[in-house]
Amino acid sequence: MSLKKHIFFWLLAFAAFVGFLLVFRAILLPFVAGMALAYLLDPVADRLEAYGFSRLLATLTILFVFVLLFVTFLVMLVPVLGHQLSGLITDMPGYVQRLQEVLFDQLGDRLGRLTGMTTQDLKSSLGNLMGQGAGWLGDILKSLWSGGQALISLVSLIVVTPVVAFYLIHDWNGIVDKIDGWLPRDHRDEILRLAGQMNAAVSGFVRGQISVCLLLGAFYAIGLVLVGLNFGLLIGIGAGLVSFIPFVGATLGLVVSLVVAFVQFWPDWTMVAIVLGIFMVGQFLEGNILQPKLVGTRVGLHPVWLMFALFAFGYLFGFVGMLIAVPASAAIAVLARYALERYLNSALYHGTAHARSGTESAEQ
């Protein structure tokens, strides 16, 4: 009965947490962002304390530097990126139409013989397909643009997030000690062990992946701008920032870059090959240098599980869900491994004979 009560209590607590997120998801963004910021910057505050800073001075220093960098980003890059995004949305139908013309000029007869369709039917089918794809991509870009504008214009995000982060960073150790005091004493060590594993998975992925995304975004943006690709700054930064979703950021950036490169540089295959080479080099750097060095192999989050969590939490809770997807998926993965470990050591897995022999050995 005690076990049933424990299970019922935790299921009820989980249901209450999910219900809370669903009810208040419209106003949670600045608070969740502040919690995420505090979690990321707390080790920096601990490091400054080790150098002799007081906790208050360390917190003020960290937030001042962060706000300064954030305002610099808003002033210098956001107007440029906004202008390029608006131009890309406007020009994308023309790029797709021009790409269609180039493909038919070069491959129209071969495609006709391969598919058995007339040139006109093939052109109509391909045009409809590319038109739908362009419309889908345009809708995504428009939603990102409008969402980005709304995100940046939210006074609550700009004002409330640093305030929440300030109080959480300043009181972080006290909050941890307070939560530790609430843990059931009989299970405290086990809970702390699981919490340590969750923290290792989350911190290893989040802090490392943020560094990977920033470095990849800078690499792609600089490379595409030096090549002279239209909208290169926007495409490069976007591909880098979306790289936290495995394979999606690089694939999306590569497709958009090649479409723009084909239309802009055709018939110069060299420039198109250079654009392709930039993404190939970026993927080599990510897979062989950045990921192993900055993220490591002990994160324990499978790419498929991570993609599912990001899409599922994003669908259920919007942008707030995207922020909590990684820590939630890491926590679920740790709990799943713990449950599997307990099952593999239980009589349910080994059978009653194993349990009986174990009992007899203990009695002897």
PDB file of all heavy atoms in Angstrom, residues 180-202:
ATOM      1  N   ASP A 180      16.784  20.532  -0.627  1.00  0.00           N
ATOM      2  CA  ASP A 180      17.406  19.363   0.000  1.00  0.00           C
ATOM      3  C   ASP A 180      16.747  19.047   1.330  1.00  0.00           C
ATOM      4  O   ASP A 180      16.573  17.873   1.701  1.00  0.00           O
ATOM      5  CB  ASP A 180      18.898  19.624   0.191  1.00  0.00           C
ATOM      6  CG  ASP A 180      19.646  18.408   0.728  1.00  0.00           C
ATOM      7  OD1 ASP A 180      19.116  17.283   0.593  1.00  0.00           O
ATOM      8  OD2 ASP A 180      20.739  18.572   1.282  1.00  0.00           O
ATOM      9  N   GLY A 181      16.351  20.081   2.053  1.00  0.00           N
ATOM     10  CA  GLY A 181      15.684  19.862   3.339  1.00  0.00           C
ATOM     11  C   GLY A 181      14.290  19.291   3.203  1.00  0.00           C
ATOM     12  O   GLY A 181      13.730  18.780   4.189  1.00  0.00           O
ATOM     13  N   TRP A 182      13.693  19.395   2.013  1.00  0.00           N
ATOM     14  CA  TRP A 182      12.347  18.847   1.804  1.00  0.00           C
ATOM     15  C   TRP A 182      12.352  17.386   1.381  1.00  0.00           C
ATOM     16  O   TRP A 182      11.304  16.743   1.361  1.00  0.00           O
ATOM     17  CB  TRP A 182      11.620  19.652   0.723  1.00  0.00           C
ATOM     18  CG  TRP A 182      11.348  21.073   1.099  1.00  0.00           C
ATOM     19  CD1 TRP A 182      11.324  21.601   2.361  1.00  0.00           C
ATOM     20  CD2 TRP A 182      11.063  22.149   0.208  1.00  0.00           C
ATOM     21  NE1 TRP A 182      11.059  22.951   2.310  1.00  0.00           N
ATOM     22  CE2 TRP A 182      10.879  23.308   0.996  1.00  0.00           C
ATOM     23  CE3 TRP A 182      10.944  22.253  -1.171  1.00  0.00           C
ATOM     24  CZ2 TRP A 182      10.584  24.543   0.446  1.00  0.00           C
ATOM     25  CZ3 TRP A 182      10.640  23.483  -1.725  1.00  0.00           C
ATOM     26  CH2 TRP A 182      10.473  24.625  -0.926  1.00  0.00           C
ATOM     27  N   LEU A 183      13.513  16.853   1.030  1.00  0.00           N
ATOM     28  CA  LEU A 183      13.570  15.493   0.514  1.00  0.00           C
ATOM     29  C   LEU A 183      13.293  14.483   1.624  1.00  0.00           C
ATOM     30  O   LEU A 183      13.716  14.686   2.773  1.00  0.00           O
ATOM     31  CB  LEU A 183      14.954  15.210  -0.092  1.00  0.00           C
ATOM     32  CG  LEU A 183      15.378  16.089  -1.266  1.00  0.00           C
ATOM     33  CD1 LEU A 183      16.781  15.709  -1.725  1.00  0.00           C
ATOM     34  CD2 LEU A 183      14.394  15.970  -2.417  1.00  0.00           C
ATOM     35  N   PRO A 184      12.588  13.388   1.305  1.00  0.00           N
ATOM     36  CA  PRO A 184      12.377  12.335   2.317  1.00  0.00           C
ATOM     37  C   PRO A 184      13.714  11.737   2.736  1.00  0.00           C
ATOM     38  O   PRO A 184      14.529  11.362   1.902  1.00  0.00           O
ATOM     39  CB  PRO A 184      11.494  11.313   1.591  1.00  0.00           C
ATOM     40  CG  PRO A 184      11.684  11.595   0.138  1.00  0.00           C
ATOM     41  CD  PRO A 184      11.955  13.053   0.021  1.00  0.00           C
ATOM     42  N   ARG A 185      13.937  11.687   4.045  1.00  0.00           N
ATOM     43  CA  ARG A 185      15.253  11.307   4.561  1.00  0.00           C
ATOM     44  C   ARG A 185      15.661   9.885   4.155  1.00  0.00           C
ATOM     45  O   ARG A 185      16.839   9.622   3.910  1.00  0.00           O
ATOM     46  CB  ARG A 185      15.256  11.412   6.088  1.00  0.00           C
ATOM     47  CG  ARG A 185      14.999  12.807   6.638  1.00  0.00           C
ATOM     48  CD  ARG A 185      16.115  13.766   6.258  1.00  0.00           C
ATOM     49  NE  ARG A 185      15.817  14.524   5.034  1.00  0.00           N
ATOM     50  CZ  ARG A 185      16.648  15.405   4.502  1.00  0.00           C
ATOM     51  NH1 ARG A 185      17.814  15.642   5.059  1.00  0.00           N
ATOM     52  NH2 ARG A 185      16.316  16.045   3.396  1.00  0.00           N
ATOM     53  N   ASP A 186      14.690   8.980   4.062  1.00  0.00           N
ATOM     54  CA  ASP A 186      15.042   7.596   3.743  1.00  0.00           C
ATOM     55  C   ASP A 186      15.538   7.445   2.299  1.00  0.00           C
ATOM     56  O   ASP A 186      16.300   6.517   2.000  1.00  0.00           O
ATOM     57  CB  ASP A 186      13.829   6.677   3.947  1.00  0.00           C
ATOM     58  CG  ASP A 186      13.467   6.530   5.419  1.00  0.00           C
ATOM     59  OD1 ASP A 186      14.339   6.826   6.258  1.00  0.00           O
ATOM     60  OD2 ASP A 186      12.323   6.134   5.710  1.00  0.00           O
ATOM     61  N   HIS A 187      15.112   8.354   1.422  1.00  0.00           N
ATOM     62  CA  HIS A 187      15.467   8.238   0.006  1.00  0.00           C
ATOM     63  C   HIS A 187      16.346   9.395  -0.466  1.00  0.00           C
ATOM     64  O   HIS A 187      16.530   9.574  -1.663  1.00  0.00           O
ATOM     65  CB  HIS A 187      14.201   8.187  -0.853  1.00  0.00           C
ATOM     66  CG  HIS A 187      13.238   7.100  -0.447  1.00  0.00           C
ATOM     67  ND1 HIS A 187      13.456   5.774  -0.725  1.00  0.00           N
ATOM     68  CD2 HIS A 187      12.065   7.160   0.225  1.00  0.00           C
ATOM     69  CE1 HIS A 187      12.454   5.050  -0.251  1.00  0.00           C
ATOM     70  NE2 HIS A 187      11.593   5.871   0.336  1.00  0.00           N
ATOM     71  N   ARG A 188      16.874  10.180   0.469  1.00  0.00           N
ATOM     72  CA  ARG A 188      17.618  11.382   0.094  1.00  0.00           C
ATOM     73  C   ARG A 188      18.821  11.067  -0.779  1.00  0.00           C
ATOM     74  O   ARG A 188      19.040  11.706  -1.815  1.00  0.00           O
ATOM     75  CB  ARG A 188      18.068  12.114   1.350  1.00  0.00           C
ATOM     76  CG  ARG A 188      18.928  13.346   1.079  1.00  0.00           C
ATOM     77  CD  ARG A 188      19.325  14.039   2.376  1.00  0.00           C
ATOM     78  NE  ARG A 188      20.214  15.155   2.106  1.00  0.00           N
ATOM     79  CZ  ARG A 188      21.541  15.045   1.992  1.00  0.00           C
ATOM     80  NH1 ARG A 188      22.122  13.839   2.125  1.00  0.00           N
ATOM     81  NH2 ARG A 188      22.283  16.113   1.741  1.00  0.00           N
ATOM     82  N   ASP A 189      19.621  10.089  -0.388  1.00  0.00           N
ATOM     83  CA  ASP A 189      20.844   9.781  -1.141  1.00  0.00           C
ATOM     84  C   ASP A 189      20.515   9.309  -2.556  1.00  0.00           C
ATOM     85  O   ASP A 189      21.208   9.671  -3.512  1.00  0.00           O
ATOM     86  CB  ASP A 189      21.652   8.714  -0.406  1.00  0.00           C
ATOM     87  CG  ASP A 189      22.218   9.224   0.918  1.00  0.00           C
ATOM     88  OD1 ASP A 189      22.320  10.458   1.069  1.00  0.00           O
ATOM     89  OD2 ASP A 189      22.533   8.392   1.788  1.00  0.00           O
ATOM     90  N   GLU A 190      19.469   8.496  -2.677  1.00  0.00           N
ATOM     91  CA  GLU A 190      19.087   8.007  -3.997  1.00  0.00           C
ATOM     92  C   GLU A 190      18.589   9.137  -4.885  1.00  0.00           C
ATOM     93  O   GLU A 190      18.920   9.223  -6.066  1.00  0.00           O
ATOM     94  CB  GLU A 190      18.001   6.937  -3.853  1.00  0.00           C
ATOM     95  CG  GLU A 190      17.731   6.128  -5.098  1.00  0.00           C
ATOM     96  CD  GLU A 190      18.819   5.102  -5.380  1.00  0.00           C
ATOM     97  OE1 GLU A 190      19.740   4.963  -4.556  1.00  0.00           O
ATOM     98  OE2 GLU A 190      18.750   4.450  -6.439  1.00  0.00           O
ATOM     99  N   ILE A 191      17.802  10.048  -4.299  1.00  0.00           N
ATOM    100  CA  ILE A 191      17.289  11.185  -5.068  1.00  0.00           C
ATOM    101  C   ILE A 191      18.431  12.099  -5.503  1.00  0.00           C
ATOM    102  O   ILE A 191      18.466  12.579  -6.638  1.00  0.00           O
ATOM    103  CB  ILE A 191      16.244  11.958  -4.244  1.00  0.00           C
ATOM    104  CG1 ILE A 191      15.009  11.086  -4.006  1.00  0.00           C
ATOM    105  CG2 ILE A 191      15.845  13.246  -4.956  1.00  0.00           C
ATOM    106  CD1 ILE A 191      13.987  11.710  -3.088  1.00  0.00           C
ATOM    107  N   LEU A 192      19.380  12.340  -4.598  1.00  0.00           N
ATOM    108  CA  LEU A 192      20.510  13.188  -4.947  1.00  0.00           C
ATOM    109  C   LEU A 192      21.374  12.554  -6.039  1.00  0.00           C
ATOM    110  O   LEU A 192      21.913  13.257  -6.899  1.00  0.00           O
ATOM    111  CB  LEU A 192      21.362  13.465  -3.706  1.00  0.00           C
ATOM    112  CG  LEU A 192      20.728  14.367  -2.640  1.00  0.00           C
ATOM    113  CD1 LEU A 192      21.676  14.541  -1.452  1.00  0.00           C
ATOM    114  CD2 LEU A 192      20.367  15.730  -3.227  1.00  0.00           C
ATOM    115  N   ARG A 193      21.504  11.233  -6.006  1.00  0.00           N
ATOM    116  CA  ARG A 193      22.266  10.554  -7.065  1.00  0.00           C
ATOM    117  C   ARG A 193      21.582  10.731  -8.421  1.00  0.00           C
ATOM    118  O   ARG A 193      22.237  11.050  -9.424  1.00  0.00           O
ATOM    119  CB  ARG A 193      22.410   9.075  -6.730  1.00  0.00           C
ATOM    120  CG  ARG A 193      23.240   8.288  -7.753  1.00  0.00           C
ATOM    121  CD  ARG A 193      23.405   6.845  -7.312  1.00  0.00           C
ATOM    122  NE  ARG A 193      22.158   6.104  -7.410  1.00  0.00           N
ATOM    123  CZ  ARG A 193      21.720   5.519  -8.538  1.00  0.00           C
ATOM    124  NH1 ARG A 193      22.455   5.599  -9.652  1.00  0.00           N
ATOM    125  NH2 ARG A 193      20.587   4.862  -8.555  1.00  0.00           N
ATOM    126  N   LEU A 194      20.279  10.561  -8.464  1.00  0.00           N
ATOM    127  CA  LEU A 194      19.535  10.745  -9.714  1.00  0.00           C
ATOM    128  C   LEU A 194      19.588  12.212 -10.161  1.00  0.00           C
ATOM    129  O   LEU A 194      19.735  12.505 -11.350  1.00  0.00           O
ATOM    130  CB  LEU A 194      18.086  10.291  -9.540  1.00  0.00           C
ATOM    131  CG  LEU A 194      17.867   8.795  -9.320  1.00  0.00           C
ATOM    132  CD1 LEU A 194      16.398   8.508  -9.043  1.00  0.00           C
ATOM    133  CD2 LEU A 194      18.341   8.003 -10.528  1.00  0.00           C
ATOM    134  N   ALA A 195      19.456  13.135  -9.196  1.00  0.00           N
ATOM    135  CA  ALA A 195      19.517  14.551  -9.546  1.00  0.00           C
ATOM    136  C   ALA A 195      20.889  14.924 -10.096  1.00  0.00           C
ATOM    137  O   ALA A 195      21.000  15.736 -11.028  1.00  0.00           O
ATOM    138  CB  ALA A 195      19.196  15.413  -8.318  1.00  0.00           C
ATOM    139  N   GLY A 196      21.937  14.314  -9.535  1.00  0.00           N
ATOM    140  CA  GLY A 196      23.278  14.569 -10.067  1.00  0.00           C
ATOM    141  C   GLY A 196      23.430  14.078 -11.494  1.00  0.00           C
ATOM    142  O   GLY A 196      24.058  14.739 -12.325  1.00  0.00           O
ATOM    143  N   GLN A 197      22.848  12.918 -11.792  1.00  0.00           N
ATOM    144  CA  GLN A 197      22.903  12.406 -13.160  1.00  0.00           C
ATOM    145  C   GLN A 197      22.123  13.310 -14.117  1.00  0.00           C
ATOM    146  O   GLN A 197      22.550  13.564 -15.242  1.00  0.00           O
ATOM    147  CB  GLN A 197      22.342  10.981 -13.203  1.00  0.00           C
ATOM    148  CG  GLN A 197      23.189   9.968 -12.453  1.00  0.00           C
ATOM    149  CD  GLN A 197      22.571   8.581 -12.477  1.00  0.00           C
ATOM    150  OE1 GLN A 197      21.555   8.344 -13.126  1.00  0.00           O
ATOM    151  NE2 GLN A 197      23.179   7.645 -11.749  1.00  0.00           N
ATOM    152  N   MET A 198      20.951  13.798 -13.679  1.00  0.00           N
ATOM    153  CA  MET A 198      20.175  14.717 -14.512  1.00  0.00           C
ATOM    154  C   MET A 198      20.951  16.004 -14.767  1.00  0.00           C
ATOM    155  O   MET A 198      20.992  16.516 -15.887  1.00  0.00           O
ATOM    156  CB  MET A 198      18.841  15.044 -13.829  1.00  0.00           C
ATOM    157  CG  MET A 198      17.906  13.872 -13.673  1.00  0.00           C
ATOM    158  SD  MET A 198      16.406  14.347 -12.778  1.00  0.00           S
ATOM    159  CE  MET A 198      15.637  12.749 -12.520  1.00  0.00           C
ATOM    160  N   ASN A 199      21.569  16.539 -13.717  1.00  0.00           N
ATOM    161  CA  ASN A 199      22.329  17.777 -13.869  1.00  0.00           C
ATOM    162  C   ASN A 199      23.507  17.587 -14.815  1.00  0.00           C
ATOM    163  O   ASN A 199      23.800  18.467 -15.639  1.00  0.00           O
ATOM    164  CB  ASN A 199      22.823  18.242 -12.506  1.00  0.00           C
ATOM    165  CG  ASN A 199      23.655  19.510 -12.602  1.00  0.00           C
ATOM    166  OD1 ASN A 199      23.170  20.571 -12.970  1.00  0.00           O
ATOM    167  ND2 ASN A 199      24.940  19.391 -12.286  1.00  0.00           N
ATOM    168  N   ALA A 200      24.183  16.434 -14.705  1.00  0.00           N
ATOM    169  CA  ALA A 200      25.311  16.178 -15.601  1.00  0.00           C
ATOM    170  C   ALA A 200      24.853  16.105 -17.049  1.00  0.00           C
ATOM    171  O   ALA A 200      25.504  16.635 -17.958  1.00  0.00           O
ATOM    172  CB  ALA A 200      26.012  14.877 -15.198  1.00  0.00           C
ATOM    173  N   ALA A 201      23.690  15.460 -17.301  1.00  0.00           N
ATOM    174  CA  ALA A 201      23.186  15.346 -18.667  1.00  0.00           C
ATOM    175  C   ALA A 201      22.764  16.705 -19.203  1.00  0.00           C
ATOM    176  O   ALA A 201      23.097  17.080 -20.336  1.00  0.00           O
ATOM    177  CB  ALA A 201      22.007  14.373 -18.708  1.00  0.00           C
ATOM    178  N   VAL A 202      22.042  17.473 -18.387  1.00  0.00           N
ATOM    179  CA  VAL A 202      21.538  18.770 -18.853  1.00  0.00           C
ATOM    180  C   VAL A 202      22.682  19.751 -19.058  1.00  0.00           C
ATOM    181  O   VAL A 202      22.780  20.413 -20.100  1.00  0.00           O
ATOM    182  CB  VAL A 202      20.512  19.330 -17.853  1.00  0.00           C
ATOM    183  CG1 VAL A 202      20.093  20.742 -18.254  1.00  0.00           C
ATOM    184  CG2 VAL A 202      19.289  18.430 -17.794  1.00  0.00           C
TER     185      VAL A 202
END
